[in-house]
């Protein structure tokens, strides 16, 4: 069976916007449990301004602990600029992700730079990370629609992807920041992007605002993509993108993949336990579209 490669972004995208401040030990337990569930790639944190995102202020403490506890894990850290890269490298991060939005205003709102400057800074950060021997990912955010500028042109996405590819980013992550993409749009955009880049250099990152994230993942899969971001329990959202809901839930993606004949290496049963744990930590109900059904199945099997 063919394998899909999943990066769980819950510790970063999932937690960055939560009203409850989550402690370092809880974050480390979340990561331990994801690793135990079979997740081999995790976006663990971000090195951003603690004023902008207080939840990620402990990134410098988290990365060394994760490196010690899980030496074989791909643990990535989002960095918006050279200062973020310096902090991530000093903490021992082995993989970073830059975030370039395909529109002017989204970049201004997210990282306080316009599109041209954000492109230059992302490029410079990727090149320096490669020089330092780190693995690199580059998000191209608002790749379908921007909450401030409306529909994003495919040309704008192409330009960002090309610049990040030229800089050498190993994985370019096409992101539906506000969860407005449709399977038709996903199919069209990825088919176009795959003419210029091989599938192993592209990944997708969907938010589930309109309940279409699984359908979008299927459209990406059909187009040839094998690398997916997802977040256990569907937790997530960018604080600077109004209207963005949680991410594609890892449990929905794994269920869809396995029911369709693909393997992921991730245990659904363990994911359900992690959702219970995260519900206690975040003090609210969590879970993707399939979680009620998955829980019922589990209790039927147990009884
Ligand atoms: P700024 O205010 O323009 O930065 O913020 P600055 O360069 O003018 O510096 C101001 C202060 O911030 C200085 O400190 C800098 O040292 C410090 P001061 O002298 O005042 O004490 N600073 C930093 N501190 C820590 N880490 C850094 C850093 N850089 C500067 N890396 C900045 C610019 C980018 C820092 C800010 O806007 C920021 O942190 N933004 C956060 C962005 C963010 O985390 N967004 C959410 C993640 S993106 C996302 O969720 C989308 C994604 O999931 C894909 C999708 O769904 O589309 C990836
Ligand atoms: Mg996101």
């Amino acid at each position: 069976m063919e394998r899909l490669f999943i990066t769980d972004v819950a510790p970063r995208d999932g937690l960055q916007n939560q009203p409850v401040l989550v402690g370092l030990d809880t974050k480390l337990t979340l990561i331990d449990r994801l690793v135990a569930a079979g997740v081999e790639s995790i976006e663990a944190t971000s090195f951003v301004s603690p004023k902008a995102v207080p939840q990620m202020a402990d990134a410098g403490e988290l990365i060394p602990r994760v490196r010690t506890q899980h030496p074989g894990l791909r643990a990535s850290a989002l960095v918006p600029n050279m200062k973020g890269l310096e902090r991530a490298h000093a903490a021992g991060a082995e993989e970073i992700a830059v975030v370039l939005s395909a529109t002017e205003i989204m970049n201004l709102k997210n990282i306080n730079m316009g599109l041209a400057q954000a492109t230059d800074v992302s490029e410079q950060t990727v090149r320096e990370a490669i020089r330092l021997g780190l693995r690199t990912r580059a998000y191209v955010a608002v790749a379908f629609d921007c909450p401030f500028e409306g529909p994003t042109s495919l040309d704008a996405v192409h330009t960002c992807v090309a610049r990040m590819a030229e800089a050498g980013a190993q994985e370019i992550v096409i992101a539906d920041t506000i969860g407005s993409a449709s399977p038709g749009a996903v199919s069209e955009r990825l088919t176009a992007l795959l003419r210029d880049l091989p599938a192993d250099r592209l990944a997708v990152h969907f938010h589930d605002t309109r309940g279409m994230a699984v359908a979008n993942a299927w459209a990406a899969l059909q187009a040839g993509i094998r690398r997916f971001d997802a977040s256990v329990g569907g937790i997530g959202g960018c604080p600077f993108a109004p209207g963005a809901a949680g991410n594609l839930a890892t449990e929905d993606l794994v269920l869809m993949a396995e029911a369709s004949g693909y393997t992921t290496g991730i245990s659904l049963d363990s994911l359900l336990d992690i959702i219970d744990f995260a519900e206690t930590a975040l003090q609210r109900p969590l879970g993707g579209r399939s979680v009620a059904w998955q829980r019922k199945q589990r209790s039927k099997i147990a009884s």
Side-chain angles (χ1 to χ4, degrees), residues 114-256:
L115 176 58
Q117 191 191 353
T119 308
D120 290 346
V121 167
S122 298
E123 202 171 64
Q124 196 190 355
T125 307
V126 166
R127 288 190 197 279
E128 178 60 10
I130 293 168
R131 198 189 66 77
L132 292 168
L134 307 192
R135 257 191 73 90
T136 52
R137 305 181 92 210
Y139 283 102
V140 175
V142 296
F144 295 88
D145 295 284
C146 171
F148 308 104
E149 297 188 26
T152 305
S153 74
L154 180 54
D155 276 354
V157 177
H158 256 304
T159 305
C160 293
V161 170
R163 290 284 297 269
M164 292 302 99
E166 276 162 33
Q170 277 137 317
E171 204 170 296
I172 297 165
V173 190
I174 306 303
D176 178 20
T177 311
I178 56 170
S180 64
S182 65
V186 168
S187 177
E188 185 207 330
R189 292 207 160 191
L190 289 166
T191 303
L193 295 170
L194 283 162
R195 284 190 200 113
D196 297 329
L197 278 180
D200 65 359
R201 277 192 83 188
L202 283 172
V204 286
H205 175 110
F206 295 118
H207 284 264
D208 204 15
T209 316
R210 301 187 189 178
M212 263 190 257
V214 173
N216 289 337
W218 179 250
L221 184 60
Q222 293 298 101
I225 298 294
R226 296 293 179 268
R227 293 173 180 273
F228 296 85
D229 281 7
S231 167
V232 65
I235 47 176
C238 176
F240 311 103
N247 288 70
L248 165 62
T250 310
E251 60 276 15
D252 288 349
L253 177 62
V254 171
L255 181 65
M256 180 273 270

Side-chain angles (χ1 to χ4, degrees), residues 7-18 22 27 30-31 34 39 41-45 55-56 139 205 229-237 247-251 271 274 278 282 286:
T7 295
D8 198 296
V9 297
R12 195 281 302 169
D13 205 335
L15 298 184
Q16 68 184 7
N17 203 20
Q18 298 299 324
V22 179
K27 291 175 181 172
L30 174 63
I31 291 169
L34 286 169
V39 178
S41 172
I42 294 176
E43 193 164 79
T45 189
Q55 193 75 259
M56 297 289 122
Y139 283 102
H205 175 110
D229 281 7
S231 167
V232 65
I235 47 176
N247 288 70
L248 165 62
T250 310
E251 60 276 15
L271 290 179
I274 301 172
L282 299 177
L286 299 168

Side-chain angles (χ1 to χ4, degrees), residues 12-13 16 47-53 78 80-81 83-84 87 99 110-112 139 141 175 177 205 207 238-240:
R12 195 281 302 169
D13 205 335
Q16 68 184 7
F47 288 86
V48 297
S49 159
K51 281 186 209 133
V53 187
L78 184 144
N81 54 16
K83 172 148 190 181
R87 291 178 59 216
V99 54
N110 195 35
I111 56 174
N112 200 23
Y139 283 102
T177 311
H205 175 110
H207 284 264
C238 176
F240 311 103

